[in-house]
Amino acid sequence: MSTTVDEMSRRTGAMSSAELAGERESRATVGDVTVANPRMVCRGVDVWYGAKQAIKGVSLDIGKNEVVSMIGPSGCGKSTFLRCLNRMNDTIDGCRVTGSIQLDGRDIYDKGLDPVPLRAQVGMVFQKPNPFPKSIYENVAYGPRIHGLTNNKAELDELVSASLQKAGLWNEVKDRLDQPGTGLSGGQQQRLCIARTIAVSPEVILMDEPCSALDPIATAIIEELIDELRANYSIAIVTHSMQQAARVSQRTAYFHLGDLIEVGETNQIFTNPKHRLTEDYITGRFG
Amino acid sequence: MNNARAAGAPPQRTIDIVNASLKRRYAKERRFRLLGASAVVLGLLFVALLFADIVGKGYTAFQQTYIQMPITFDASVIDPEGTRSPETLQRANYAALIRQGQREIFPDVKDRRATRTLASMISVGSASHLRDMVIADPDLIGTTREVWLLADDDIDMLVKGHIDRSAPESDRRVKDQTVGWVERLESEGRIEKRFNTIFFTHGTSREPELAGIAGALMGSFYTLALTLLFSFPIGVGAALYLEEFAPKNRWTDLIEVNINNLAAVPSIVFGLLGLAVFIGIFGVPRSTPLVAALVLSLMTLPTIIIASRAALKSVPPSIREAALGVGASPLQTQLHHVLPLAMPGMLTGTIIGMAQALGETAPLLMIGMIAFIVDIPSGFTSPSTVLPVQIFLWADSPERAFVERTSAAIMVLLAFLILMNLTAVLLRRRFERRW
Ligand SMILES: Nc1ncnc2c1ncn2[C@@H]1O[C@H](COP(=O)(O)OP(=O)(O)O)[C@@H](O)[C@H]1O
Ligand SMILES: [Mg+2]
């Protein structure tokens, strides 16, 4: 009798402590983080800004020819995680990354690995369009030029026009390649930045809220573009718009306070989330 | 607002409250604008006063009095043996020719003292002027020419009206007798004021009429050129390293504090340092543009570094991210993207630093730039002085003629300063870009 009471009290105690923890539910990611043919493989990635941990043991694969979207309330570490994938966090003082991130089987945080060529393989498109204050042509030609991708002017011209075509900007700018890239509209600038990124033929393209500064029409054009780019690149996109994630991505990852809560097929995440936090977020109860 | 409603005060619309306070707000704004405008007016007034004073005192220095004399290039005086050898022409007694000319104009002046006074009306430099004429054209020998000769500074002052002819004779540097001669020469049209080329082509001199700023200008030019050469690359390099590459830790904080301190150190301290280190330890020759440039570089470096760092800070980080994002190395990012955008700010800072260096006097006194140097410097290691030191030296001279030359030299210095600051503004305009 007494033992049962003991057991019961212990059980209720355990239950109530779980209740008290509230938000601190299981940190283990729900869903399958792996894919059949991965391009990038992240395992147990922790990121600290000084003493503050921004990313807690995140594991996630990015497959070939797929778009992975990362959603979550602001400040949950989506950008931080994305910036680990091309070592952009190296430029931030006090930022420390542990765990393993591999690109095509090679650890990109390996001591011997140079982040400069890595960033040519893993390109990045930023939240605010940031073309160089140079001509449209120079914006696109800059990457190929510093990496020596072309042998002569004709090849470079060819590459610039091909990149602009892939970015769906060619028809709008072909007559004014020598004009400043900063003179374009916001949406055009963002597509110019995409052209600049694909001009160096990366394998993976990281996009950090690429449409958050754009109007709906420009956003639609970019979303269409992302869908086309999937044929040749792996894309990881951070977005605060769930509709956008639903429209462009095949898989979705939900982040919450530095934890990767749930990963799954985009359809499944939006129609049938398994984790309570994910459900709260996508139903608008939170975030 | 909410409280007022909650407290049950009579309902008042926001717009009424705003309107009620509007008048007070505008009055405040007007007062502030008036205050600002009067500060600007006051500032401009003092600048105008300064300029009026300097220009008023100095503009006459751009003219110089000349006296016309009939000069007989007497072969028996210049070249009695008829050899025409350069040596003879060089050594001949040309002053005698001038005295001869004066005797022709004033045949009645016989007494020795009067003759000497008469001779002193012409600048002591005139003899060498005649010599140069003869050496350039030996065929002059044997002919008689009317030659315009440089007047002595006292005569120059008299003609320009800086000496009051009605003052009692004992209070005047130029006595009645001389005034009479000058008036006679004036009435004969033998006195003329011409543009003062000597002021721009000669080095300094004990004789005001022979003193010019060319030496000091060249000295300033060599000094500034070297200062720019030393301080710009070092300053920009230091700023680039500190701002973009150095880790942010206690050491770099310490360096930053020290750089800001150095910018505020009295400039004479840099002079003492230069004297002890550059001259004392490294044996750099004193009084030279080289040592002056080293000292001034130390002095302007903090200015350039601080301005360059501010310029680098103002380049948006998104440009750096963009460059790094396509795989540019940190150095490429800086050289291709950040530096060009920061350049106008850096150049502005540098030009301001250079203007500072151009006007600096105190540290240069410590390293021997105050020496009396007549020759126009020919290089970075020839003894020289600089414009502000020249002004300092002339301001110390008692002669009235140096007063106007001091002001004229200040005008030239100010002109250069205005030119440099204008360049800074234009550069900023020219390179200002949107991003
Ligand atoms: N450079 C930084 N230094 C310190 N903390 C940072 C820095 N960047 C982001 N953080 C912190 O890391 C957390 C995650 O930020 P971030 O990745 O930008 O979130 P998200 O992109 O999901 O909105 C936030 O709490 C943020 O305050
Ligand atoms: Mg973000």
Side-chain angles (χ1 to χ4, degrees):
Chain A
M1 192 69 187
S2 61
T3 42
T4 334
V5 170
D6 234 64
E7 258 180 36
M8 271 184 68
S9 72
R10 221 183 293 137
R11 208 178 299 145
T12 47
M15 275 177 71
S16 60
S17 78
E19 292 275 311
L20 279 173
E23 298 299 315
R24 304 213 42 69
E25 290 173 55
S26 160
R27 276 183 183 180
T29 306
V30 175
D32 189 7
V33 300
T34 62
V35 293
N37 49 354
R39 181 125 256 169
M40 296 196 83
V41 177
C42 312
R43 290 294 174 264
V45 175
D46 292 311
V47 182
W48 280 270
Y49 289 117
K52 181 173 177 278
Q53 188 167 10
I55 290 288
K56 300 163 189 168
V58 168
S59 299
L60 183 65
D61 285 3
I62 297 167
K64 288 182 176 131
N65 303 347
E66 76 162 352
V67 179
V68 179
S69 63
M70 300 172 187
I71 59 171
S74 102
C76 66
K78 307 179 296 287
S79 298
T80 301
F81 180 68
L82 198 70
R83 291 165 61 92
C84 291
L85 301 179
N86 68 345
R87 292 187 58 175
M88 213 57 178
N89 282 337
D90 288 16
T91 59
I92 297 172
D93 272 325
C95 181
R96 200 154 50 83
V97 180
T98 61
S100 117
I101 302 178
Q102 293 185 340
L103 171 66
D104 294 330
R106 277 196 67 193
D107 190 345
I108 64 169
Y109 279 89
D110 192 64
K111 276 215 158 48
L113 192 126
D114 184 354
V116 169
L118 169 72
R119 294 190 192 123
Q121 282 177 289
V122 184
M124 189 155 196
V125 176
F126 298 85
Q127 183 166 353
K128 203 172 139 258
N130 56 353
F132 299 128
K134 297 176 190 268
S135 71
I136 293 170
Y137 182 93
E138 282 305 315
N139 262 283
V140 183
Y142 181 68
R145 197 174 275 151
I146 55 170
H147 296 300
L149 300 186
T150 54
N151 295 319
N152 52 46
K153 179 88 171 72
E155 277 182 40
L156 188 60
D157 288 350
E158 184 55 39
L159 181 55
V160 167
S161 92
S163 304
L164 284 168
Q165 267 158 14
K166 279 190 220 161
L169 194 61
W170 177 247
N171 287 331
E172 289 156 71
V173 302
K174 62 171 184 257
D175 300 323
R176 46 171 174 154
L177 290 176
D178 54 345
Q179 284 176 23
T182 41
L184 297 172
S185 76
Q188 288 174 324
Q189 286 190 17
Q190 196 61 299
R191 276 180 283 151
L192 179 61
C193 293
I194 293 174
R196 180 177 66 191
T197 303
I198 58 188
V200 291
S201 310
E203 284 149 40
V204 182
I205 301 177
L206 311 175
M207 298 185 173
D208 191 352
E209 306 198 18
C211 302
S212 64
L214 305 183
D215 61 84
I217 295 173
T219 301
I221 296 174
I222 301 241
E223 284 178 3
E224 215 169 291
L225 175 60
I226 291 172
D227 206 46
E228 284 166 21
L229 291 176
R230 181 162 66 91
N232 300 307
Y233 308 95
S234 302
I235 296 173
I237 178 171
V238 168
T239 173
H240 63 248
S241 152
M242 282 174 279
Q243 291 83 347
Q244 183 169 68
R247 281 193 298 262
V248 301
S249 68
Q250 285 73 56
R251 282 198 313 143
T252 297
Y254 173 67
F255 284 76
H256 185 93
L257 292 177
D259 292 311
L260 177 53
I261 301 297
E262 184 167 353
V263 183
E265 298 289 323
T266 298
N267 267 338
Q268 175 254 310
I269 293 283
F270 284 104
T271 55
N272 183 23
K274 297 209 172 71
H275 198 285
R276 190 173 61 78
L277 286 170
T278 318
E279 188 178 353
D280 286 353
Y281 183 72
I282 62 159
T283 53
R285 253 177 282 166
F286 176 71
Chain B
M1 191 51 217
N2 271 336
N3 282 344
R5 272 191 191 149
Q12 212 178 356
R13 293 194 312 144
T14 307
I15 188 71
D16 298 329
I17 300 174
V18 170
N19 281 339
S21 71
L22 218 50
K23 215 169 138 198
R24 194 161 36 82
R25 273 154 65 177
Y26 281 145
K28 209 171 188 177
E29 198 169 313
R30 263 196 307 279
R31 272 202 302 280
F32 185 75
R33 247 191 303 198
L34 204 70
L35 216 65
S38 40
V40 170
V41 167
L42 200 70
L44 284 180
L45 198 74
F46 278 114
V47 170
L49 266 177
L50 176 81
F51 273 59
D53 180 56
I54 291 169
V55 173
K57 275 190 196 144
Y59 79 99
T60 48
F62 295 113
Q63 288 201 313
Q64 175 64 40
T65 306
Y66 282 78
I67 300 177
Q68 194 185 39
M69 288 270 153
I71 299 293
T72 306
F73 295 93
D74 192 342
S76 64
V77 175
I78 302 171
D79 189 14
E81 275 132 49
T83 57
R84 294 287 191 270
S85 81
E87 220 165 297
T88 323
L89 300 186
Q90 188 80 31
R91 290 224 192 105
N93 183 4
Y94 292 98
L97 301 184
I98 299 174
R99 280 199 298 277
Q100 177 58 38
Q102 284 175 325
R103 268 197 294 278
E104 260 170 58
I105 304 177
F106 300 101
D108 44 330
V109 178
K110 292 272 166 39
D111 128 55
R112 273 180 73 93
R113 271 189 61 169
T115 318
R116 208 177 306 138
T117 317
L118 190 57
S120 74
M121 285 173 64
I122 303 292
S123 164
V124 293
S126 294
S128 54
H129 175 62
L130 290 183
R131 182 192 63 207
D132 293 344
M133 280 177 72
V134 169
I135 289 175
D137 180 13
D139 291 344
L140 279 176
I141 297 172
T143 65
T144 299
R145 294 282 168 91
E146 290 287 342
V147 181
W148 287 98
L149 295 173
L150 191 61
D152 186 62
D153 60 304
D154 283 336
I155 306 304
D156 185 42
M157 289 299 105
L158 183 74
V159 170
K160 285 174 178 168
H162 293 315
I163 292 175
D164 183 6
R165 297 186 194 194
S166 62
E169 188 180 13
S170 56
D171 292 354
R172 252 188 281 131
R173 274 184 68 86
V174 182
K175 303 303 172 196
D176 283 347
Q177 187 188 34
T178 318
V179 173
W181 290 334
V182 169
E183 276 166 2
R184 207 187 116 193
L185 287 170
E186 276 174 333
S187 68
E188 287 174 11
R190 286 187 174 277
I191 285 194
E192 202 175 274
K193 282 189 284 181
R194 298 185 177 176
F195 181 70
N196 189 357
T197 46
I198 288 175
F199 184 68
F200 294 100
T201 55
H202 277 52
T204 187
S205 166
R206 299 270 182 231
E207 303 296 330
E209 75 273 11
L210 292 174
I213 54 168
L217 263 185
M218 280 317 280
S220 276
F221 169 77
Y222 284 127
T223 304
L224 272 197
L226 270 190
T227 306
L228 183 67
L229 201 70
F230 294 149
S231 59
F232 182 67
I234 298 178
V236 168
L240 205 57
Y241 177 74
L242 285 174
E243 198 56 40
E244 307 283 345
F245 294 101
K248 306 273 174 288
N249 57 27
R250 220 172 296 160
W251 288 109
T252 42
D253 284 349
L254 192 74
I255 291 173
E256 171 146 19
V257 168
N258 273 301
I259 287 173
N260 292 340
N261 272 345
L262 279 181
V265 164
S267 56
I268 196 154
V269 174
F270 289 103
L272 290 168
L273 181 85
L275 180 63
V277 177
F278 297 132
I279 297 178
I281 297 177
F282 294 111
V284 180
R286 64 170 63 222
S287 308
T288 56
L290 178 62
V291 68
L294 288 170
V295 167
L296 292 177
S297 296
L298 284 184
M299 201 195 75
T300 49
L301 262 179
T303 311
I304 296 180
I305 293 177
I306 291 170
S308 299
R309 290 187 70 171
L312 288 171
K313 273 202 187 87
S314 74
V315 175
S318 64
I319 297 292
R320 296 180 180 83
E321 288 190 328
L324 291 173
V326 292
S329 71
L331 188 66
Q332 284 174 326
T333 303
Q334 297 303 327
L335 294 184
H336 298 165
H337 300 286
V338 178
L339 216 48
L341 291 174
M343 205 35 93
M346 291 178 163
L347 288 179
T348 308
T350 306
I351 291 174
I352 289 170
M354 287 298 115
Q356 235 176 26
L358 175 61
E360 198 52 71
T361 320
L364 303 184
L365 301 182
M366 295 290 108
I367 51 167
M369 300 301 273
I370 198 161
F372 180 79
I373 293 147
V374 177
D375 293 328
I376 296 173
S378 57
F380 297 114
T381 51
S382 48
S384 59
T385 189
V386 292
L387 211 42
V389 173
Q390 189 67 75
I391 291 168
F392 173 77
L393 287 169
W394 281 351
D396 230 19
S397 305
E399 286 94 338
R400 177 63 183 77
F402 271 128
V403 173
E404 67 169 27
R405 275 172 174 72
T406 306
S407 293
I410 292 173
M411 282 158 70
V412 172
L413 184 65
L414 283 177
F416 274 104
L417 289 177
I418 290 171
L419 198 74
M420 288 171 82
N421 287 325
L422 206 69
T423 318
V425 171
L426 289 180
L427 270 179
R428 209 166 32 212
R429 289 265 172 79
R430 171 79 182 72
F431 286 104
E432 217 156 36
R433 282 198 252 187
R434 296 184 324 108
W435 53 69

